[in-house]
Amino acid sequence: MELKQNRVRIIDGLRGFSLIGILMANMLIFQYGIWGSQEMDLYALPDYEMTAYKLVKIFVEGSFMPIFTFMFGFGMIKMQQSLAAKGLRQKRYLTRRFLMLIGLGFLHSYFLWEGDILGFYGMMGFFLLLFMNRKPKTLLIWGIVLLCLISLMGFTPEDPNDPAGITDPARMEAYVVKTMTVYGTGTYEEIVHHRSSEDPLGLPEYMMIALLLIAPLMSAPMFLGMYAAKRRWFEKPEEERTSYLRNMLIFLPAGLLLKALHAFLPGTWLSGVGELSGGTILAIGYIFAFVWFFSKSTESTWLPRFQAVGKLSLTNYLLQTVICTTIFYGYGLGWFGKIGVLAGCGLAIVIYVGQLFASPLYLKRFRYGPVERLLRMWTNFSISGKTKQRPEKPISA
């Protein structure tokens, strides 16, 4: 029982740990826009801010969301196993869960913020159902293949003037400049209208369809998470510390090296590949580092805090949006594009530390977060949010 409880703490802790990096990376989008965060030259930041921006790109952006994505695949298999043990129809419950995520993602992206990831998880969940009963080796192969395929997209040209590129530099600049004004000073209605009606890419319909078709390529961490769950990773963290340390020492430097290529050698053919593959590889390194660090002691005072944030991950994720849009958008404090990358990182840490201390206090009174409660009620078709044990068939004489 103690080993099981420590495993659960590690898993929930990992999910909670990922939210600090997700918030820090999203802080660029909150204060510069989803497209403006990739066009930082238009903000004329000083050198020290650009240095901070590069460090965020290397150590944070694209390397904490894959942890959350990994845990999505991991949690899906654990939920399947739990439903199977109760004799319930696994695909029926998972389908309802994914539909709810798509609905939450739509509401989140339309009414609050364009950087939503929940809708993507819901859509990819249906794709993962095709592989739910596959062997661990099959899931690992698919994860590696998808990671290699998405990495090959790094060969696409980075030069905006390249005719093979998909963006029009003038159109993108006009969009970012307009976003600065609308998001920084606009009303809630003006910001929603800008977000839903302006198109910075101007792509034809067939290109949009193509982008949707390649979305499954981004699900490599989910396959790796499913593989990890089936191979019973983190079952005995105290006994597996040596392997965690070994893997950490392999994946951390490899991921950092690959991501550094994009920051310090932009425009080279390796930089794009390094950025896309390095994010997931570094995320795996972070996973092993976290588990190694906290597996050495079951009495850590910080692991329960990460665990509490992880148990309320959906609520905390959406709460981060509410807080940050209120701070940066015109209907709130209007700090959009004003405080800088360094101050944004500091603000992210302050918000996350608040969640580290508030989440355990909340869980002393309530078992689930409000969003988690709604998701469980819909998934299980139960007011209490609990699954119902399928009654056993009577044995005929």
Side-chain angles (χ1 to χ4, degrees):
M1 178 63 71
E2 183 178 349
L3 286 174
K4 182 178 179 181
Q5 289 178 346
N6 196 33
R7 173 183 61 80
V8 171
R9 284 198 294 267
I10 290 289
I11 293 170
D12 283 333
L14 266 172
R15 193 176 287 111
F17 168 67
S18 70
L19 285 180
I20 175 58
I22 290 172
L23 176 57
M24 198 169 290
N26 285 345
M27 194 62 70
L28 294 174
I29 303 175
F30 284 128
Q31 61 173 325
Y32 298 111
I34 195 166
W35 298 105
S37 63
Q38 307 302 319
E39 305 287 338
M40 298 299 285
D41 292 342
L42 298 177
Y43 287 90
L45 297 178
D47 291 342
Y48 69 89
E49 289 282 5
M50 290 305 299
T51 299
Y53 174 75
K54 285 186 177 181
L55 291 176
V56 171
K57 298 283 281 188
I58 294 172
F59 287 93
V60 179
E61 189 178 78
S63 293
F64 279 82
M65 186 60 75
I67 301 176
F68 205 68
T69 308
F70 176 97
M71 297 312 300
F72 178 83
F74 192 100
M76 175 181 167
I77 294 300
K78 290 302 179 184
M79 182 176 176
Q80 178 209 13
Q81 294 171 347
S82 175
L83 292 169
K86 296 175 182 177
L88 300 174
R89 296 181 179 179
Q90 303 139 49
K91 290 187 177 180
R92 176 180 296 179
Y93 281 77
L94 289 168
T95 294
R96 289 201 292 258
R97 187 178 186 85
F98 299 150
L99 287 173
M100 181 70 164
L101 288 175
I102 292 173
L104 286 173
F106 170 77
L107 295 174
H108 183 215
S109 61
Y110 183 83
F111 291 102
L112 290 175
W113 184 57
E114 65 266 42
D116 173 77
I117 197 66
L118 300 180
F120 170 75
Y121 284 174
M123 290 186 290
M124 288 303 98
F126 286 104
F127 176 62
L128 296 180
L129 287 177
L130 301 174
F131 302 88
M132 187 172 62
N133 296 316
R134 296 295 184 267
K135 296 179 179 178
K137 184 178 179 181
T138 302
L139 296 172
L140 177 61
I141 292 173
W142 270 93
I144 294 174
V145 169
L146 289 173
L147 179 59
C148 292
L149 290 176
I150 195 68
S151 299
L152 292 178
M153 294 182 62
F155 285 108
T156 55
E158 293 188 11
D159 183 1
N161 295 313
D162 192 306
I166 64 172
T167 59
D168 178 357
R171 184 188 185 104
M172 180 61 71
E173 181 176 347
Y175 173 85
V176 173
V177 171
K178 185 175 181 180
T179 299
M180 293 179 192
T181 302
V182 175
Y183 278 31
T185 62
T187 63
Y188 174 79
E189 290 77 11
E190 290 171 338
I191 291 173
V192 170
H193 177 74
H194 176 78
R195 183 166 57 236
S196 60
S197 62
E198 296 290 336
D199 179 12
L201 299 178
L203 297 178
E205 290 185 2
Y206 73 88
M207 282 293 293
M208 298 300 295
I209 295 174
L211 290 175
L212 289 175
L213 291 177
I214 66 174
L217 297 181
M218 302 173 65
S219 62
M222 296 181 180
F223 278 90
L224 298 178
M226 294 169 71
Y227 166 78
K230 292 206 172 192
R231 290 300 300 267
R232 304 173 71 88
W233 283 16
F234 318 129
E235 288 282 337
K236 301 177 180 179
E238 293 89 350
E239 299 177 14
E240 300 171 350
R241 294 195 71 239
T242 301
S243 64
Y244 298 153
L245 177 61
R246 181 177 62 250
N247 291 328
M248 177 189 76
L249 295 177
I250 293 172
F251 286 100
L252 275 182
L256 289 172
L257 177 62
L258 287 168
K259 292 192 72 178
L261 291 175
H262 183 76
F264 296 106
L265 297 174
T268 63
W269 66 273
L270 277 175
S271 66
V273 175
E275 181 184 33
L276 292 174
S277 61
T280 298
I281 292 173
L282 182 57
I284 296 172
Y286 284 149
I287 289 172
F288 284 120
F290 182 91
V291 178
W292 172 78
F293 183 82
F294 284 106
S295 63
K296 64 183 179 182
S297 173
T298 59
E299 304 299 327
S300 169
T301 58
W302 284 101
L303 181 56
R305 296 192 182 279
F306 285 115
Q307 178 193 8
V309 174
K311 291 184 72 173
L312 303 174
S313 57
L314 284 178
T315 297
N316 279 322
Y317 170 70
L318 295 174
L319 184 59
Q320 289 173 359
T321 295
V322 173
I323 293 172
C324 291
T325 52
T326 302
I327 291 173
F328 291 108
Y329 289 1
Y331 55 79
L333 297 180
W335 288 4
F336 190 84
K338 294 180 179 179
I339 70 172
V341 178
L342 274 175
C345 290
L347 178 60
I349 293 173
V350 169
I351 293 172
Y352 184 77
V353 168
Q355 293 182 322
L356 276 178
F357 283 88
S359 295
L361 294 176
Y362 178 91
L363 288 173
K364 286 183 178 180
R365 292 179 58 90
F366 305 98
R367 187 174 181 182
Y368 305 110
V371 183
E372 287 78 12
R373 166 71 71 175
L374 288 174
L375 183 59
R376 290 179 67 89
M377 290 171 61
W378 168 257
T379 299
N380 299 325
F381 269 7
S382 167
I383 296 297
S384 67
K386 298 180 180 179
T387 55
K388 298 179 180 179
Q389 188 88 22
R390 175 180 284 187
E392 296 183 4
K393 296 181 179 179
I395 300 176
S396 58

